[in-house]
Amino acid sequence: MMVKNCVSSSKERQSADLVILPVWMDKKGALLATSEKEFEPLVKFVFEQKDFSGKEKEMQLLYRQNGKEPRVLLLGIGEEESCTPEILRSAYASSMKLLSSKSLKSMNVLFPEVGHLDSEALYTAVIEGILMAGYSFTQFKEKPEVSSLAKICFCGNVKASLLQRIEIIIESVSLVRDLVNGNADDVNVDAFKQLARDFEKEISSIKVTILDKKALEKEKMGLILAVGKASTLPPSVIILEYKGDPKSKEKTAIVGKGITYDTGGLNIKVGVGMETMKCDMAGAAAVMGIMRAAAKLKLKVNLVGALAIAENAIGANSYKPGDVFRSRTGKTVEITNTDAEGRLVLADTISYVEDHYQPTRLIDFATLTGGVIVALGEEASGLCSNDDKLAHALEKAGERTHERVWRLPLYPEYKEYLKSPIADIKNSGPRKASCSSGATFIHAFVKSSSWAHLDIAGTAYLSELKACHPTAATGVGVRLFIDFLEHLT
Ligand code: BES
Ligand code: MN
Ligand code: ZN
């Protein structure tokens, strides 16, 4: 991450190289969005020229000889009445790109005053925008652009505890992004095991259990073993436990799809379909990020995080279309498409987690289907759930964080899509409704009456970058789920 250990908050502005000054687009023209009187003379003349309107993401850099900062960046944030946290997050994020070309060591950030927004939501959006846009992935650059920006001060009434909370969350988002952006052969089964062990060492409240191939065989987890058959590294299920509320019987399980690379298997992916498939462990990465953030924030919740890690590789030992495998639950599965591998690793892992940990609710995160991208684009994750209350709570968290989720149905008819003549179920149906039918497959292996499935295939790894997302990997799931946990009642 670009900006580290350098953020602070204060009511008084210290001297800095630049200040970000938010500007409304008002009916009569541009209008300062803060009540800091000192900028009025400076901007009066600029605004009179009428070519700065204050529309969202419009920027103008001014220089001045007096004042705490020689540079003043006017940042348009649109109309006050329609201002939302996401507009602010995105506008402040976009300023980082312009600023990276200037040799700044320090900057002050001023907040707008927005009557209809809760101040915590407003502060969070602005700070998140700046920190998320400050992410970079430079591992493979010969000459990475090193930012000189060593100090960012958020000037306003931001409590230190709020700033610290946001920093922990965005660090966790960055961890997820690094894992997803990283090479598939680096972020492999062994890397996930090592990362889990590192977590256990660094974060005393996290306990780790690793199921290797032998343990998976002992547990009769025939589906994840089938998916991982052709890989040089055998599959693994990694469990992280965090008990933040030992007195409570409530326990939330989160399960992540961790396909370190998805070639499609013998039903090999064609064209450009394979090119982005290092992202197919984004669900498992999100679970890692959530566990880290929850433990570091000392949330009063009990969590079990499970990663279903395997590589869907191609080789003489690949699992084969037409063959039937027995799952941990005893249900047999006819493989009609080796590219529908995510649901297989999840089915066995969910079954293991339910039997060994008895969670009161279970949520899985998975880059499961291309179909969800057709339905929702990269703007929302697909949600399928057997529990309206849980689904609603996730939708609310999605609205608050702008990591939006959109519910798709689990109609009983979808079960017909997965009927097999020779096994209890088949792993892939027709192309239609593939997000719902994928979820229907997983549902067949779930005991819990409170389960939700989040299909993050569209939201985890972007084809078009955004202001808040300077690289393809978004780290989706962390902000959403921490917000969800904080609002659990
Ligand atoms: N990992 C893919 C889904 C995916 C697609 C993730 C695009 C991210 C971007 C998944 O394993 C897959 O191949 N799904 C198939 C399922 C089908 C064979 C039933 C799909 O969606 O085409
Ligand atoms: Mn696949
Ligand atoms: Zn996949």
Side-chain angles (χ1 to χ4, degrees):
M1 201 167 126
M2 188 172 95
V3 280
K4 215 171 176 230
N5 298 329
C6 59
V7 290
S8 62
S9 61
S10 109
K11 284 184 202 165
E12 294 294 314
R13 269 158 54 222
Q14 307 291 316
S15 298
D17 295 333
L18 176 136
V19 60
I20 298 185
L21 189 59
V23 180
W24 295 123
M25 182 167 77
D26 198 44
K27 306 224 164 36
K28 290 185 214 110
L31 182 71
L32 278 187
T34 74
S35 54
E36 312 267 326
K37 292 268 179 296
E38 66 161 284
F39 297 103
E40 276 171 14
L42 176 76
V43 299
K44 188 168 178 283
F45 178 69
V46 179
F47 290 175
E48 274 166 9
Q49 307 314 306
K50 298 277 184 206
D51 49 32
F52 186 88
S53 68
K55 69 169 186 279
E56 278 169 46
K57 299 186 182 176
E58 189 177 1
M59 278 175 264
Q60 181 64 52
L61 188 55
L62 306 177
Y63 295 86
R64 59 176 183 174
Q65 241 150 6
N66 305 311
K68 292 199 169 108
E69 309 88 351
R71 298 173 192 78
V72 178
L73 180 70
L74 303 181
L75 174 64
I77 53 172
E79 291 170 7
E80 177 169 9
E81 307 82 73
S82 47
C83 181
T84 62
E86 177 58 18
I87 288 174
L88 296 176
R89 187 181 291 109
S90 183
Y92 278 79
S94 61
S95 71
M96 291 299 273
K97 198 159 186 186
L98 180 116
L99 298 180
S100 66
S101 65
K102 310 277 178 260
S103 51
L104 306 174
K105 289 198 181 65
S106 58
M107 81 172 175
N108 290 330
V109 180
L110 294 178
F111 296 99
E113 284 151 32
V114 195
H116 65 274
L117 286 186
D118 161 66
S119 64
E120 194 169 307
L122 183 152
Y123 293 147
T124 302
V126 168
I127 298 170
E128 281 182 350
I130 299 264
L131 297 186
M132 285 167 74
Y135 172 82
S136 59
F137 185 73
T138 55
Q139 191 189 341
F140 299 116
K141 294 274 196 192
E142 188 185 6
K143 293 189 188 106
E145 278 175 40
V146 220
S147 165
S148 54
L149 194 55
K151 256 168 84 178
I152 301 176
C153 182
F154 295 100
C155 307
N157 212 351
V158 186
K159 284 203 193 97
S161 59
L162 178 67
L163 185 59
Q164 204 196 347
R165 171 184 176 279
I166 300 170
E167 277 194 278
I168 289 174
I169 292 172
I170 303 304
E171 275 164 25
S172 305
V173 169
S174 300
L175 167 85
V176 178
R177 288 165 151 184
D178 283 346
L179 292 171
V180 176
N181 280 325
N183 274 2
D185 284 341
D186 295 334
V187 190
N188 58 15
V189 184
D190 287 343
F192 271 105
K193 289 182 184 171
Q194 190 54 50
L195 183 62
R197 288 193 198 100
D198 292 347
F199 268 30
E200 192 174 39
K201 248 186 241 145
E202 278 162 36
I203 312 172
S204 60
S205 56
I206 286 184
K207 192 186 146 208
V208 171
T209 309
I210 296 178
L211 306 186
D212 56 14
K213 190 177 171 202
K214 268 213 181 100
L216 300 180
E217 283 166 352
K218 206 169 152 222
E219 285 286 336
K220 300 197 164 78
M221 293 165 79
L223 301 184
I224 188 170
L225 284 163
V227 172
K229 256 161 69 80
S231 173
T232 48
L233 293 176
S236 176
V237 169
I238 301 168
I239 316 261
L240 300 95
E241 283 172 88
Y242 164 71
K243 281 199 190 80
D245 192 6
K247 284 195 195 114
S248 164
K249 285 205 175 75
E250 295 264 308
K251 192 190 284 176
T252 303
I254 49 178
V255 180
K257 169 177 173 182
I259 299 298
T260 60
Y261 198 75
D262 183 11
T263 63
L266 292 180
N267 294 105
I268 189 170
K269 287 186 183 289
V270 292
V272 293
M274 208 189 296
E275 216 169 279
T276 58
M277 284 304 129
K278 68 175 180 184
C279 85
D280 215 20
M281 30 55 78
V287 168
M288 278 302 221
I290 294 163
M291 294 305 293
R292 179 191 184 276
K296 292 222 168 194
L297 292 168
K298 302 193 171 67
L299 295 189
K300 278 204 166 13
V301 293
N302 301 318
L303 285 179
V304 180
L307 321 182
I309 312 286
E311 183 190 358
N312 192 16
I314 300 174
N317 205 26
S318 286
Y319 76 132
K320 294 167 182 67
D323 280 358
V324 176
F325 292 88
R326 190 178 301 275
S327 71
R328 185 180 180 280
T329 66
K331 265 199 175 78
T332 56
V333 181
E334 180 191 0
I335 304 304
T336 47
N337 193 326
T338 58
D339 201 6
E341 82 298 336
R343 59 199 72 183
L344 299 173
V345 301
L346 288 171
D348 272 350
T349 306
I350 288 171
S351 156
Y352 179 88
V353 168
E354 288 198 301
D355 286 353
H356 284 80
Y357 298 94
Q358 287 87 35
T360 45
R361 63 178 74 78
L362 189 148
I363 297 94
D364 73 75
F365 295 78
T367 46
L368 205 78
T369 66
V372 81
I373 313 176
V374 176
L376 305 174
E378 297 176 345
E379 314 311 325
S381 304
L383 164 67
C384 291
S385 179
N386 61 0
D387 178 350
D388 291 343
K389 205 171 155 235
L390 174 62
H392 191 67
L394 287 164
E395 285 170 338
K396 283 279 161 220
E399 282 163 25
R400 284 188 296 264
T401 57
H402 206 73
E403 288 199 343
R404 292 172 294 187
V405 302
W406 194 262
R407 195 168 178 189
L408 293 164
L410 277 175
Y411 296 136
E413 285 81 353
Y414 297 132
K415 290 185 204 155
E416 304 297 322
Y417 295 20
L418 301 174
K419 286 235 158 97
S420 161
I422 58 163
D424 298 324
I425 193 168
K426 59 182 183 180
N427 78 326
S428 84
R431 274 166 60 90
K432 57 191 179 187
S434 76
C435 178
S436 286
S437 78
T440 298
F441 180 92
I442 298 169
H443 195 195
F445 295 84
V446 170
K447 281 191 198 160
S448 166
S449 53
S450 186
W451 157 75
H453 159 70
L454 290 165
D455 192 334
I456 58 171
T459 49
Y461 198 74
L462 304 178
S463 61
E464 270 173 87
L465 306 181
K466 298 183 179 182
C468 292
H469 297 303
T471 67
T474 61
V476 73
V478 177
R479 292 194 302 114
L480 171 79
F481 208 73
I482 294 299
D483 181 280
F484 165 84
L485 289 171
E486 286 178 331
H487 286 83
L488 270 184
T489 45

mmCIF file of all heavy atoms in Angstrom, residues 349-371:
data_model
loop_
_atom_site.group_PDB
_atom_site.id
_atom_site.type_symbol
_atom_site.label_atom_id
_atom_site.label_comp_id
_atom_site.label_asym_id
_atom_site.label_seq_id
_atom_site.Cartn_x
_atom_site.Cartn_y
_atom_site.Cartn_z
ATOM 1 N N THR A 349 -16.376 -28.311 1.826
ATOM 2 C CA THR A 349 -15.867 -27.470 2.914
ATOM 3 C C THR A 349 -17.003 -27.001 3.819
ATOM 4 O O THR A 349 -16.881 -26.997 5.051
ATOM 5 C CB THR A 349 -15.083 -26.280 2.328
ATOM 6 O OG1 THR A 349 -14.083 -26.785 1.451
ATOM 7 C CG2 THR A 349 -14.427 -25.460 3.425
ATOM 8 N N ILE A 350 -18.125 -26.631 3.221
ATOM 9 C CA ILE A 350 -19.284 -26.207 4.014
ATOM 10 C C ILE A 350 -19.747 -27.364 4.910
ATOM 11 O O ILE A 350 -20.027 -27.178 6.103
ATOM 12 C CB ILE A 350 -20.427 -25.722 3.094
ATOM 13 C CG1 ILE A 350 -20.047 -24.368 2.467
ATOM 14 C CG2 ILE A 350 -21.740 -25.617 3.860
ATOM 15 C CD1 ILE A 350 -20.995 -23.879 1.378
ATOM 16 N N SER A 351 -19.796 -28.561 4.341
ATOM 17 C CA SER A 351 -20.224 -29.723 5.113
ATOM 18 C C SER A 351 -19.289 -29.956 6.313
ATOM 19 O O SER A 351 -19.742 -30.192 7.437
ATOM 20 C CB SER A 351 -20.249 -30.940 4.183
ATOM 21 O OG SER A 351 -20.104 -32.126 4.913
ATOM 22 N N TYR A 352 -17.997 -29.839 6.073
ATOM 23 C CA TYR A 352 -17.024 -30.016 7.164
ATOM 24 C C TYR A 352 -17.229 -28.957 8.256
ATOM 25 O O TYR A 352 -17.262 -29.262 9.444
ATOM 26 C CB TYR A 352 -15.598 -29.933 6.600
ATOM 27 C CG TYR A 352 -14.533 -30.075 7.660
ATOM 28 C CD1 TYR A 352 -14.054 -31.328 8.029
ATOM 29 C CD2 TYR A 352 -14.027 -28.946 8.324
ATOM 30 C CE1 TYR A 352 -13.095 -31.464 9.028
ATOM 31 C CE2 TYR A 352 -13.076 -29.078 9.316
ATOM 32 C CZ TYR A 352 -12.605 -30.332 9.667
ATOM 33 O OH TYR A 352 -11.667 -30.455 10.656
ATOM 34 N N VAL A 353 -17.394 -27.717 7.825
ATOM 35 C CA VAL A 353 -17.533 -26.612 8.785
ATOM 36 C C VAL A 353 -18.811 -26.774 9.608
ATOM 37 O O VAL A 353 -18.817 -26.587 10.825
ATOM 38 C CB VAL A 353 -17.518 -25.249 8.044
ATOM 39 C CG1 VAL A 353 -17.958 -24.122 8.960
ATOM 40 C CG2 VAL A 353 -16.133 -24.967 7.481
ATOM 41 N N GLU A 354 -19.897 -27.144 8.955
ATOM 42 C CA GLU A 354 -21.158 -27.288 9.699
ATOM 43 C C GLU A 354 -21.044 -28.404 10.741
ATOM 44 O O GLU A 354 -21.486 -28.241 11.876
ATOM 45 C CB GLU A 354 -22.308 -27.577 8.724
ATOM 46 C CG GLU A 354 -22.671 -26.346 7.897
ATOM 47 C CD GLU A 354 -24.053 -26.456 7.259
ATOM 48 O OE1 GLU A 354 -24.265 -27.412 6.489
ATOM 49 O OE2 GLU A 354 -24.898 -25.593 7.538
ATOM 50 N N ASP A 355 -20.443 -29.525 10.375
ATOM 51 C CA ASP A 355 -20.356 -30.647 11.312
ATOM 52 C C ASP A 355 -19.365 -30.397 12.446
ATOM 53 O O ASP A 355 -19.584 -30.818 13.574
ATOM 54 C CB ASP A 355 -19.972 -31.935 10.574
ATOM 55 C CG ASP A 355 -21.150 -32.478 9.768
ATOM 56 O OD1 ASP A 355 -22.266 -31.930 9.900
ATOM 57 O OD2 ASP A 355 -20.954 -33.439 9.003
ATOM 58 N N HIS A 356 -18.271 -29.712 12.150
ATOM 59 C CA HIS A 356 -17.240 -29.554 13.187
ATOM 60 C C HIS A 356 -17.397 -28.290 14.023
ATOM 61 O O HIS A 356 -16.846 -28.206 15.105
ATOM 62 C CB HIS A 356 -15.841 -29.582 12.567
ATOM 63 C CG HIS A 356 -15.400 -30.965 12.200
ATOM 64 N ND1 HIS A 356 -15.808 -31.592 11.045
ATOM 65 C CD2 HIS A 356 -14.620 -31.860 12.858
ATOM 66 C CE1 HIS A 356 -15.285 -32.807 10.996
ATOM 67 N NE2 HIS A 356 -14.560 -32.997 12.086
ATOM 68 N N TYR A 357 -18.104 -27.293 13.520
ATOM 69 C CA TYR A 357 -18.164 -26.018 14.246
ATOM 70 C C TYR A 357 -19.578 -25.545 14.595
ATOM 71 O O TYR A 357 -19.739 -24.569 15.315
ATOM 72 C CB TYR A 357 -17.413 -24.924 13.459
ATOM 73 C CG TYR A 357 -15.945 -25.252 13.306
ATOM 74 C CD1 TYR A 357 -15.472 -25.911 12.182
ATOM 75 C CD2 TYR A 357 -15.033 -24.915 14.303
ATOM 76 C CE1 TYR A 357 -14.131 -26.232 12.040
ATOM 77 C CE2 TYR A 357 -13.690 -25.228 14.179
ATOM 78 C CZ TYR A 357 -13.241 -25.892 13.038
ATOM 79 O OH TYR A 357 -11.910 -26.211 12.923
ATOM 80 N N GLN A 358 -20.597 -26.194 14.096
ATOM 81 C CA GLN A 358 -21.998 -25.824 14.374
ATOM 82 C C GLN A 358 -22.257 -24.310 14.336
ATOM 83 O O GLN A 358 -22.700 -23.722 15.332
ATOM 84 C CB GLN A 358 -22.445 -26.372 15.754
ATOM 85 C CG GLN A 358 -22.673 -27.861 15.795
ATOM 86 C CD GLN A 358 -21.388 -28.639 16.096
ATOM 87 O OE1 GLN A 358 -20.549 -28.164 16.853
ATOM 88 N NE2 GLN A 358 -21.221 -29.781 15.474
ATOM 89 N N PRO A 359 -21.988 -23.672 13.226
ATOM 90 C CA PRO A 359 -22.245 -22.224 13.153
ATOM 91 C C PRO A 359 -23.752 -21.935 13.171
ATOM 92 O O PRO A 359 -24.551 -22.784 12.772
ATOM 93 C CB PRO A 359 -21.647 -21.837 11.802
ATOM 94 C CG PRO A 359 -21.695 -23.079 10.982
ATOM 95 C CD PRO A 359 -21.475 -24.215 11.955
ATOM 96 N N THR A 360 -24.116 -20.736 13.647
ATOM 97 C CA THR A 360 -25.532 -20.346 13.638
ATOM 98 C C THR A 360 -25.917 -19.701 12.304
ATOM 99 O O THR A 360 -27.086 -19.538 12.009
ATOM 100 C CB THR A 360 -25.848 -19.381 14.796
ATOM 101 O OG1 THR A 360 -24.817 -18.382 14.848
ATOM 102 C CG2 THR A 360 -25.889 -20.128 16.115
ATOM 103 N N ARG A 361 -24.939 -19.283 11.539
ATOM 104 C CA ARG A 361 -25.194 -18.824 10.165
ATOM 105 C C ARG A 361 -23.941 -19.080 9.342
ATOM 106 O O ARG A 361 -22.845 -19.157 9.895
ATOM 107 C CB ARG A 361 -25.586 -17.337 10.127
ATOM 108 C CG ARG A 361 -24.532 -16.393 10.606
ATOM 109 C CD ARG A 361 -24.979 -14.945 10.481
ATOM 110 N NE ARG A 361 -25.965 -14.593 11.491
ATOM 111 C CZ ARG A 361 -25.682 -14.319 12.766
ATOM 112 N NH1 ARG A 361 -24.432 -14.365 13.203
ATOM 113 N NH2 ARG A 361 -26.624 -13.991 13.624
ATOM 114 N N LEU A 362 -24.126 -19.228 8.047
ATOM 115 C CA LEU A 362 -22.975 -19.518 7.184
ATOM 116 C C LEU A 362 -23.091 -18.720 5.891
ATOM 117 O O LEU A 362 -24.155 -18.717 5.249
ATOM 118 C CB LEU A 362 -22.916 -21.026 6.890
ATOM 119 C CG LEU A 362 -21.665 -21.537 6.171
ATOM 120 C CD1 LEU A 362 -21.347 -22.964 6.626
ATOM 121 C CD2 LEU A 362 -21.805 -21.500 4.654
ATOM 122 N N ILE A 363 -22.019 -18.049 5.544
ATOM 123 C CA ILE A 363 -22.003 -17.240 4.314
ATOM 124 C C ILE A 363 -20.797 -17.685 3.474
ATOM 125 O O ILE A 363 -19.687 -17.779 3.997
ATOM 126 C CB ILE A 363 -21.882 -15.729 4.637
ATOM 127 C CG1 ILE A 363 -23.110 -15.247 5.435
ATOM 128 C CG2 ILE A 363 -21.781 -14.896 3.355
ATOM 129 C CD1 ILE A 363 -22.950 -15.262 6.921
ATOM 130 N N ASP A 364 -21.027 -17.998 2.201
ATOM 131 C CA ASP A 364 -19.884 -18.314 1.356
ATOM 132 C C ASP A 364 -19.621 -17.195 0.353
ATOM 133 O O ASP A 364 -20.534 -16.487 -0.071
ATOM 134 C CB ASP A 364 -20.064 -19.675 0.656
ATOM 135 C CG ASP A 364 -21.085 -19.643 -0.463
ATOM 136 O OD1 ASP A 364 -20.774 -19.103 -1.548
ATOM 137 O OD2 ASP A 364 -22.210 -20.162 -0.253
ATOM 138 N N PHE A 365 -18.336 -17.022 0.043
ATOM 139 C CA PHE A 365 -17.869 -16.004 -0.908
ATOM 140 C C PHE A 365 -17.194 -16.738 -2.059
ATOM 141 O O PHE A 365 -16.259 -17.508 -1.822
ATOM 142 C CB PHE A 365 -16.820 -15.095 -0.257
ATOM 143 C CG PHE A 365 -17.348 -14.251 0.874
ATOM 144 C CD1 PHE A 365 -17.553 -14.810 2.129
ATOM 145 C CD2 PHE A 365 -17.623 -12.907 0.681
ATOM 146 C CE1 PHE A 365 -18.035 -14.037 3.179
ATOM 147 C CE2 PHE A 365 -18.100 -12.123 1.730
ATOM 148 C CZ PHE A 365 -18.319 -12.692 2.977
ATOM 149 N N ALA A 366 -17.643 -16.493 -3.294
ATOM 150 C CA ALA A 366 -17.085 -17.264 -4.400
ATOM 151 C C ALA A 366 -17.168 -16.520 -5.731
ATOM 152 O O ALA A 366 -18.194 -15.924 -6.060
ATOM 153 C CB ALA A 366 -17.829 -18.591 -4.518
ATOM 154 N N THR A 367 -16.081 -16.592 -6.483
ATOM 155 C CA THR A 367 -16.120 -16.148 -7.887
ATOM 156 C C THR A 367 -16.714 -17.323 -8.673
ATOM 157 O O THR A 367 -16.004 -18.059 -9.330
ATOM 158 C CB THR A 367 -14.697 -15.830 -8.382
ATOM 159 O OG1 THR A 367 -13.822 -16.902 -7.972
ATOM 160 C CG2 THR A 367 -14.173 -14.527 -7.824
ATOM 161 N N LEU A 368 -18.027 -17.498 -8.566
ATOM 162 C CA LEU A 368 -18.617 -18.771 -8.987
ATOM 163 C C LEU A 368 -19.036 -18.841 -10.450
ATOM 164 O O LEU A 368 -18.847 -19.863 -11.089
ATOM 165 C CB LEU A 368 -19.815 -19.137 -8.094
ATOM 166 C CG LEU A 368 -20.066 -20.653 -8.070
ATOM 167 C CD1 LEU A 368 -19.067 -21.349 -7.153
ATOM 168 C CD2 LEU A 368 -21.483 -20.994 -7.658
ATOM 169 N N THR A 369 -19.631 -17.761 -10.971
ATOM 170 C CA THR A 369 -20.178 -17.888 -12.332
ATOM 171 C C THR A 369 -19.940 -16.660 -13.207
ATOM 172 O O THR A 369 -19.972 -15.518 -12.742
ATOM 173 C CB THR A 369 -21.716 -18.118 -12.299
ATOM 174 O OG1 THR A 369 -22.358 -16.949 -11.778
ATOM 175 C CG2 THR A 369 -22.078 -19.325 -11.482
ATOM 176 N N GLY A 370 -19.738 -16.916 -14.490
ATOM 177 C CA GLY A 370 -19.724 -15.833 -15.464
ATOM 178 C C GLY A 370 -21.132 -15.252 -15.598
ATOM 179 O O GLY A 370 -21.293 -14.078 -15.944
ATOM 180 N N GLY A 371 -22.129 -16.059 -15.308
ATOM 181 C CA GLY A 371 -23.518 -15.615 -15.444
ATOM 182 C C GLY A 371 -23.861 -14.419 -14.572
ATOM 183 O O GLY A 371 -24.658 -13.566 -14.960
#
